[in-house]
Structures are given as structure tokens and as C-alpha cells.
Amino acid sequence: MSLVFDEYGRPFIILKEQDQKTRLKGIAALKANIMAARSVAGTLRTSLGPKGMDKILVSGDGEVCVSNDGATILERMEVDNEIAKLLVELSRSQDQEIGDGTTGVVVLAGALLEQAEMLLDRGLHPRRISDGFEIACKIACDNLEVICDRVEFDASNTSELLEVARTTLSSKIVTRCLDQMAQIAVDAILAVADLERKDVNLDLIKMEGKVGGQMEDSQLVRGIVLDKDISHPGMVKEIKNAKICILTCPFEPPKPKTKHNIQIDTVEKYQSLYQQEQAYFVDMVKKIKDAGATLAICQWGFDDEANHLLMQNELPAVRWVGGVEIELLAIACGARIVPRFSELTPDKLGTAGTVREVSFGTTKDRMLFIEDCHNSKAVTIFVRGANKMIIEEIKRSIHDALCIVRNLVRDNRVVYGGGSAEISCSLAVSEAAKKKLGVDQYAMNAFADALETIPMALAENSGLSGIEALAQMKTRQIQEKNPWLGVDCKQVGTCDMKQQKVLETLHGKKQQMLLATQVVKMILKIDDVIAPSGYQ
């Protein structure tokens, strides 16, 4: 960019490479943006629901990921278009806030944009469409409050929590072990939940995976699982009533901080230096033994000499334990992290009922199970699977279930799935639109039509006729005044989602509608796109 003056002294700016930029304005820009967003939403449409299809994603370095989780698919898709990236952000925000419904929120946004495009063709102004969508979204959310149901649960009665976890996991790879995985998710949440305050700290739930074994071998460990082994093969592999000392200081003599060299020219000097080094090691081991520890866990490594000395003193040790694991272990065992040996005292030790090293299959892979900890609120979900890809997908599936159960602990209101809530909201918005005068009526009817995309996609993905299933459910909901009738995706024989026990959290469903509407409003506000010529 440069500033020049004409012959009268008036300044004007010359912008470089204007011939290489494309510019879309007005309706053309809106339609280009809508097309980009709809193409992303169309990719996810077939992944919606319990019968949704999986997508295989191959990264630039050849890493393969198979998933039907909306947030994961969009995260790994290489999206260049700026508007399409908004839908990636939309899915991510749904994942961070709720944990589930990441596919549905993008499909709904795509449907709203499709309806908006039809209204633009009729000559409606984008701002009037946005305002109509906003009104309709509020009516839909109010309707959800009316049709919602409450689930009652406590630490001894978790059947309702299990049903919600089963609904979330039913569209994932873990359907073969649905009951087991749902039970693991619910038990993990209840282990760390504070039911009185209705608060759940997901940081206390660690997920660890190991290739090999079957999906059925996955388990919930009431403690911590470390992907480490005991440092010396001669040390004991199982410790009962362990007293654990957690060190973040190196298990070695201090290094001089100067750059001077030490020259040793006689055997006596070497022996003196060697004995001094040995004295350091002996002193360190003695301090640990004097404190009463029966297991030392060190954030840093230590050499073979220190390892041998620990083994001789019958003090099992674990080295190279990561910082996050150290903190979680300290919480679980009730230990204090010790930054230097001089501060080591008996009251800083943690306790655990059992510490055992477990080996897997014919490989040399070993892991450390630290169970029956002082503070049982820290737990680990230990996942097994045929390969790394399956393990990662199981972890993502369980994470979704954990988030949904956590949301239910915070707010125990639910709506029923199978598209029943969307059909009910669509009918409520259509009814409200009849009483509305002016242009907003068209936008509200368009919002109602967009909501019907979800049950239609569920029916199509289950091999049913989408329009026929949707028309049948709408008719029955109006005639029977039952807002819990949805699409029978699993061919159970009943369309009542309460009987099928297909539940979704009210908070998650409201968030879906609010987020989708906000993103659509943002896209409809853009009427001018100035970009390099590569923009399509």
C-alpha cells in the first residue's frame, strides 16, 4: 500500500495486487458463504444418530482416524474456507460446553442456512431473517422447558444416569459393550462428584489405553494407572499398604554450575570423588527410608548406580513420571510433592492400599496400578482395544458419556431423543408463526422446517423413508398430544422415546439450538468478501 498525490495535491491510496483479489458483494457473497457452510454440514449429516456412518480421515503424515464424532471429524478435516471454519468452531464450542451433540448442532446450522437461502431468493432482507430466527429460537427453547422431564438419582440409584450414558454411547464404536461402558462412565462420575454441591471435576478422571486385549477388558480403576514400570527388575512388584514419597528433585549428586573442568590425575583423587558421590546417593536413600516411605516416585530419572543402591535397600522406585500424573497421584494418595530431599518428612508421604506392576500379553509392556488410595476421588478408566485407532475412538466415546452424565448431575432435566424434541419445537414454532404478522412469520416457519431436518436425517440414516417417518410422527404428536414420540431408529416397535429410554440433557439440546442460531446470524450478516483469488 502506498500514498500518492495527484496534480492538485489531493492524496489517494494505491493498493497493491488488486487485480489478484476477488470480491463478492451482496447476495452473491451471502450465497457463496451459505454454500461453503452447507457443504460442511452435508458431510456430517450421514453421521447423525445411532445408525450413523463413520468417516475415515487420513492426515498428511498418513495417520488414520475413524470416527463419527462431529467435533473430531471437523477438527481433522483440512478446511480452508473461512465460513466453513466457523462451523468447525461451532462444533468445538458444543464439544467443550456440553461434550455431546457436536454432529447435530452442525446439521441444524446447515439446515437453517438452507432455509435462509430460500428466503433470500424470495427477496427477504438478511437482517429480517436473522431476527425471525432469533424469535423462533426463543420459542423453541421455551417449549423445551415445557416438555422436559426430571430424572431422580442418587449414589445408590443410578439407573437413569445409565440410560443417558447408553443413549450417548449408542452411536459410537462401543455399542458392542454398551452396558459395560455406560456403567464405567457413571461409576467414574459418581466417584469424583460432589452431589451436594452438584459439582464434578473431570480433571480427576484419567484415561489410559493399552493396545491389545478386547474392548470388554476395559475397566475402571479406583486409583491411578501409570504407563511406567518399577525401575529395577530385582525390586518387589507388589506393595501392600504402600507409603508413597513423590519427588520432583533429581536423584543424583548436584552438578557444579560453573563451566570449569575437574582434572583427576591420581587414583586417590578419583576414589575420593567416587566416595563423595556414593555418600550423596546413600544420604538420599537414607532420608527416604527414614521418612518411612516404601515406594519412591521420581519426576526425573536416575542412573544405574542409584537404581542398584535403591534395590539393595529394598526401596522400589519409579522414574520419569510426568508432571500431570505427579499432581494427580499427589491428590489421589494425599501426598505432598517434595521439591528437595531436605524437606522430606513422614507427614508428606501418601498412602495406597495396593501398588502392583501388571504385564500385558507376550510383550514387555508393563503398567503400574496404584489402587485403594487415601482419596478415592481420583480414578482411571483403563481402555483396551485391538489397535491405537480403536483405543482413541473408545476414549472419545467415553469422554462424551462422561460429559453428559456430568451435565445431568449439574441439572437433572432431560428431553427425549429420536427427534421427538425437534418435532415438538417445530410444531410450537409453526403455531406461534400463525399469530405473527409481517416478514418474521416467514423466517419462523423456515426455522420450524429446519428443525425437522434432524428427525428426517435420523430416519434416513436408519434406512427408513425420511419424509414418511417425519409426517407420521408429526401427525401422531398433534393427535395424541404426546411430545415424546420420535423416530424408531432401532426398530424396537414403539415410537415413544420415554419407553425406549432415549434421553438427552435439556441443557445440551438448548445449547444446540442457541449456538446454531448464533452462527447462522453471524454468517447472514456478512455481505462483502474480499479475499485472494483462491477464495471459492
Side-chain angles (χ1 to χ4, degrees):
M1 188 173 76
S2 57
L3 183 68
V4 294
F5 298 89
D6 63 8
E7 63 269 28
Y8 300 108
R10 291 176 301 199
F12 62 94
I13 295 169
I14 296 176
L15 293 170
K16 291 180 183 177
E17 301 175 349
Q18 279 298 289
D19 59 326
Q20 294 178 20
K21 292 182 185 290
T22 56
R23 184 168 181 175
L24 290 169
K25 293 178 74 175
I27 295 293
L30 277 165
K31 289 204 168 185
N33 294 340
I34 288 171
M35 183 59 70
R38 278 181 59 193
S39 63
V40 172
T43 307
L44 290 190
R45 186 181 164 115
T46 53
S47 293
L48 188 67
K51 304 285 185 182
M53 308 297 276
D54 286 1
K55 304 278 185 275
I56 186 163
L57 300 141
V58 185
S59 67
D61 57 357
E63 187 185 346
V64 176
C65 170
V66 177
S67 180
N68 72 349
D69 178 54
T72 307
I73 293 168
L74 291 181
E75 199 76 45
R76 298 191 179 231
M77 274 171 63
E78 292 184 5
V79 179
D80 292 330
N81 187 286
E82 285 71 17
I83 301 300
K85 282 177 183 172
L86 286 178
L87 289 195
V88 177
E89 292 290 331
L90 167 68
S91 183
R92 187 184 299 145
S93 60
Q94 175 77 9
D95 191 39
Q96 289 170 352
E97 179 68 22
I98 305 297
D100 193 32
T102 51
T103 308
V105 72
V106 176
V107 172
L108 180 57
L112 286 169
L113 287 168
E114 188 178 346
Q115 294 295 327
E117 189 174 15
M118 290 160 65
L119 292 175
L120 287 169
D121 289 340
R122 291 187 194 175
L124 267 73
H125 193 276
R127 293 314 301 260
R128 297 305 299 272
I129 297 170
S130 299
D131 293 344
F133 280 177
E134 191 68 37
I135 296 165
C137 181
K138 188 176 186 313
I139 293 165
C141 290
D142 291 344
N143 183 63
L144 286 174
E145 299 265 2
V146 173
I147 66 169
C148 73
D149 202 3
R150 285 188 181 274
V151 295
E152 299 303 329
F153 62 88
D154 52 44
S156 57
N157 176 25
T158 60
S159 57
E160 297 290 350
L161 291 177
L162 279 169
E163 294 303 338
V164 176
R166 281 170 57 89
T167 303
T168 304
L169 293 169
S170 62
S171 62
K172 311 290 184 188
I173 198 173
V174 298
T175 43
R176 198 178 79 217
C177 315
L178 195 59
D179 292 334
Q180 182 190 351
M181 293 299 177
Q183 189 69 55
I184 286 174
V186 171
D187 287 350
I189 288 291
L190 290 177
V192 304
D194 184 342
L195 293 178
E196 287 182 14
R197 287 174 50 232
K198 294 191 173 183
D199 183 47
V200 179
N201 184 2
L202 284 183
D203 291 338
L204 294 174
I205 301 174
K206 181 172 178 259
M207 270 197 267
E208 197 68 63
K210 201 73 177 171
V211 173
Q214 303 176 53
M215 207 185 290
E216 288 87 343
D217 297 335
S218 302
Q219 57 178 297
L220 177 70
V221 179
R222 304 271 177 180
I224 305 294
V225 176
L226 298 178
D227 194 4
K228 304 288 172 191
D229 54 1
I230 302 284
S231 61
H232 197 289
M235 293 174 180
V236 290
K237 304 298 181 190
E238 186 168 348
I239 308 155
K240 298 281 186 188
N241 300 320
K243 295 247 191 273
I244 300 171
C245 134
I246 299 175
L247 303 166
T248 54
C249 44
F251 209 104
E252 55 188 26
K255 290 183 170 64
K257 291 182 180 176
T258 61
K259 291 185 179 178
H260 297 104
N261 293 326
I262 299 172
Q263 288 188 344
I264 300 170
D265 49 11
T266 63
V267 176
E268 289 76 18
K269 286 179 182 176
Y270 176 78
Q271 288 290 344
S272 168
L273 191 66
Y274 176 71
Q275 284 165 8
Q276 197 174 351
E277 194 178 68
Q278 282 287 303
Y280 273 119
F281 282 134
V282 170
D283 184 49
M284 289 173 185
V285 174
K286 185 173 183 299
K287 280 176 179 169
I288 297 172
K289 293 287 277 186
D290 289 350
T294 55
L295 173 67
I297 291 178
C298 189
Q299 188 175 10
W300 305 102
F302 39 82
D303 60 15
D304 292 341
E305 198 161 354
N307 202 9
H308 182 69
L309 203 59
L310 286 164
M311 194 270 290
Q312 280 186 328
N313 283 273
E314 296 179 353
L315 184 62
V318 184
R319 53 186 164 186
W320 297 118
V321 180
V324 176
E325 293 170 326
I326 285 266
E327 288 175 16
L328 203 56
L329 194 58
I331 294 168
C333 302
R336 296 281 296 278
I337 296 172
V338 180
R340 54 185 72 85
F341 282 95
S342 57
E343 294 181 15
L344 189 56
T345 53
D347 60 306
K348 291 183 179 175
L349 301 180
T351 54
T354 315
V355 178
R356 57 195 174 94
E357 186 183 270
V358 180
S359 56
F360 298 98
T362 56
T363 64
K364 292 181 180 178
D365 283 347
R366 296 184 180 86
M367 295 185 91
L368 209 61
F369 282 57
I370 301 168
E371 297 167 303
D372 304 328
C373 296
H374 161 80
N375 174 13
S376 61
K377 276 189 175 293
V379 295
T380 304
I381 297 171
F382 184 53
V383 178
R384 302 302 307 277
N387 56 40
K388 189 181 175 186
M389 191 171 64
I390 289 177
I391 286 174
E392 291 304 317
E393 182 63 7
I394 294 171
K395 281 185 183 179
R396 283 192 288 269
S397 304
I398 293 177
H399 178 264
D400 284 3
L402 290 172
C403 290
I404 286 298
V405 177
R406 175 200 63 183
N407 294 341
L408 206 56
V409 169
R410 288 177 174 173
D411 182 356
N412 66 343
R413 292 176 296 172
V414 295
V415 292
Y416 293 94
S420 60
E422 282 85 355
I423 294 171
S424 175
C425 289
S426 171
L427 293 170
V429 172
S430 296
E431 199 61 39
K434 290 175 187 174
K435 300 169 188 171
K436 214 49 166 170
L437 297 173
V439 179
D440 289 344
Q441 183 182 19
Y442 292 100
M444 289 170 71
N445 279 322
F447 190 94
D449 291 344
L451 284 174
E452 292 171 2
T453 307
I454 301 286
M456 197 182 290
L458 285 172
E460 287 169 0
N461 292 347
S462 304
L464 306 171
S465 168
I467 295 170
E468 189 181 321
L470 175 64
Q472 187 184 354
M473 286 308 107
K474 279 183 77 173
T475 308
R476 284 189 59 187
Q477 278 208 21
I478 293 166
Q479 290 174 350
E480 299 175 27
K481 299 281 191 295
N482 182 357
W484 301 334
L485 293 171
V487 179
D488 182 14
C489 297
K490 296 182 180 177
Q491 310 288 299
V492 176
T494 174
C495 292
D496 191 325
M497 293 296 122
K498 189 168 185 178
Q499 287 181 21
Q500 279 203 33
K501 295 192 183 311
V502 180
L503 296 90
E504 294 181 64
T505 57
L506 171 68
H507 181 46
K509 187 61 74 178
K510 280 174 69 176
Q511 195 75 13
Q512 263 191 15
M513 292 184 184
L514 290 166
L515 287 175
T517 308
Q518 284 170 17
V519 165
V520 169
K521 279 182 67 181
M522 187 191 296
I523 292 171
L524 289 175
K525 279 178 72 176
I526 301 166
D527 76 331
D528 200 345
V529 178
I530 304 166
S533 53
Y535 187 90
Q536 295 294 327

